[in-house]
Amino acid sequence: MRTLNSTPDHLNGFVLVGFSEWPRLEMALLVVVSIFYILTLFGNSAIIILSRLDPKLYTPMYFFLANLSFLDLCYTTSTVPQMLINIQSHKRSISYVGCIAQLFIFLSLGSTECVLLSIMAFDRYVAICQPLCYTVIMHSQLCQQLAAVAWITGFSNSLVQTVLTSLLPRCGQYQIENFFCEVPAMLQLSCVDTWVNEVEMYAAVVVIKVIPLGLILFSYINIVRAVIRIQSSEGRNKAFHTCGSHLLVVIMFYGSAISGYAYMAPKSSSAKLKGKLLALFYGLITPMLNPLIYTLRNKDVKAAVKKILGREQEQGWNMA
């Protein structure tokens, strides 16, 4: 039975257990995660810069992609640097305020990405199913409003969950079974009944994950129907190529995020490891792969890169 700690909860920090049970894996992760984090920063920053510098990329698709890249930059930065510091220092501690701030920021950005991905699916739906009306429907004001809805919804959801989680008494429990502060891990520290928090959390999952995922599926069902009606094989290939990148990102993000709920209260060592690796996947690997997936076979982005590099090279010759 847990006993009350004489020190007030808010004065105690937390210990992020992370991968400390597997020291060899932890040292390998230090190198791998550092490389992946640098690639994440470079890839997503490149998309944001390109979408601002090349007028040909001033389209709804790249507007939302720039939003996604900025979101992924903040998303990974909210957890990865703390993880790398903890592995190097072996202290693994985080203050109460730092933990609550990390919880709020990470959950806000994750929730925002769920809604933003559904908006991006709607954009592809309009582009393929209503091509003649695309510029009329997806005007700049609507794009900005949709992006604002995604950000406001994500941060509102996080604010509610963060407040409810922070009010729970810990009764001296301070070891968080993950490499960052998250709601399920924080609920396990509570010494009181958390059914209200759990009901709210699952309700949030429905609103933030299930409903947007349903909208994405609805969009792609209609996209597939529209593509089947296209006569030329070149047109069909172009349509599938346009949507394939977004669909792959959706599968990776939602698949890993939803699978993580299966390991919310792991009892075995292997289950703990699987849960943490899943969190690492949707918290770092997916944001790192997003720029590659969207730009690897994207002619517009390749043309923008060549144009900007050619412009810089030409300026260098003029200066010489």
Side-chain angles (χ1 to χ4, degrees):
M1 183 177 177
R2 297 175 180 173
T3 58
L4 286 171
N5 192 345
S6 59
T7 307
D9 281 353
H10 68 276
L11 297 180
N12 294 329
F14 296 92
V15 173
L16 298 172
V17 176
F19 297 91
S20 58
E21 299 177 35
W22 305 274
R24 291 183 180 179
L25 173 62
E26 195 172 50
M27 295 313 298
L29 284 175
L30 177 63
V31 177
V32 174
V33 171
S34 298
I35 295 172
F36 283 6
Y37 182 56
I38 292 171
L39 292 174
T40 301
L41 296 179
F42 176 78
N44 287 286
S45 298
I47 287 181
I48 295 172
I49 294 170
L50 287 173
S51 65
R52 296 296 297 173
L53 293 180
D54 193 341
K56 290 184 178 179
L57 301 183
Y58 292 175
T59 63
M61 175 181 172
Y62 292 103
F63 170 76
F64 292 126
L65 184 55
N67 268 265
L68 180 65
S69 294
F70 176 72
L71 192 153
D72 283 340
L73 279 176
C74 301
Y75 192 57
T76 54
T77 302
S78 67
T79 59
V80 173
Q82 178 73 48
M83 174 187 176
L84 296 176
I85 291 172
N86 288 345
I87 293 176
Q88 287 182 317
S89 65
H90 300 289
K91 290 182 179 179
R92 312 182 192 284
S93 60
I94 184 172
S95 67
Y96 176 82
V97 174
C99 184
I100 296 301
Q102 185 183 68
L103 170 67
F104 173 72
I105 294 171
F106 184 80
L107 183 57
S108 296
L109 297 171
S111 302
T112 301
E113 181 158 351
C114 291
V115 181
L116 184 61
L117 288 173
S118 67
I119 292 173
M120 294 174 74
F122 172 72
D123 172 64
R124 293 299 83 206
Y125 162 75
V126 177
I128 293 175
C129 298
Q130 303 288 336
L132 299 179
C133 303
Y134 180 66
T135 54
V136 177
I137 296 174
M138 299 302 295
H139 53 83
S140 60
Q141 186 176 0
L142 177 63
C143 292
Q144 293 170 4
Q145 290 171 346
L146 290 173
V149 168
W151 286 91
I152 292 171
T153 302
F155 275 75
S156 299
N157 168 61
S158 180
L159 180 62
V160 173
Q161 292 202 55
T162 301
V163 170
L164 289 176
T165 304
S166 64
L167 294 176
L168 291 172
R170 293 184 287 112
C171 304
Q173 305 299 313
Y174 59 89
Q175 290 192 342
I176 297 176
E177 281 290 343
N178 212 327
F179 59 90
F180 65 98
C181 297
E182 61 171 353
V183 173
M186 297 282 284
L187 292 182
Q188 293 178 37
L189 302 182
S190 177
C191 55
V192 298
D193 192 358
T194 60
W195 72 272
V196 174
N197 299 72
E198 292 173 9
V199 168
E200 193 280 331
M201 183 177 67
Y202 284 112
V205 168
V206 172
V207 174
I208 299 298
K209 287 188 172 71
V210 177
I211 292 179
L213 184 58
L215 294 175
I216 291 172
L217 292 175
F218 175 79
S219 297
Y220 275 102
I221 288 172
N222 286 278
I223 287 172
V224 170
R225 288 176 177 174
V227 170
I228 292 175
R229 291 195 295 267
I230 297 176
Q231 299 296 327
S232 66
S233 59
E234 182 181 352
R236 285 196 298 268
N237 291 335
K238 184 178 180 181
F240 278 124
H241 172 66
T242 302
C243 300
S245 300
H246 176 260
L247 190 58
L248 182 56
V249 170
V250 168
I251 291 172
M252 289 195 308
F253 180 79
Y254 273 94
S256 57
I258 293 176
S259 298
Y261 283 93
Y263 300 97
M264 283 200 309
K267 296 181 179 179
S268 65
S269 179
S270 62
K272 289 180 182 179
L273 180 59
K274 289 178 182 178
K276 293 173 184 179
L277 290 176
L278 275 171
L280 186 62
F281 185 86
Y282 67 75
L284 175 63
I285 308 302
T286 300
M288 182 204 70
L289 293 176
N290 284 355
L292 292 175
I293 294 171
Y294 277 110
T295 63
L296 199 58
R297 296 176 59 191
N298 192 306
K299 294 180 180 179
D300 293 335
V301 175
K302 288 181 179 180
V305 172
K306 290 179 181 179
K307 181 179 178 181
I308 292 172
L309 291 178
R311 187 188 306 165
E312 291 181 353
Q313 189 176 18
E314 184 179 344
Q315 290 176 352
W317 288 341
N318 293 335
M319 291 177 65

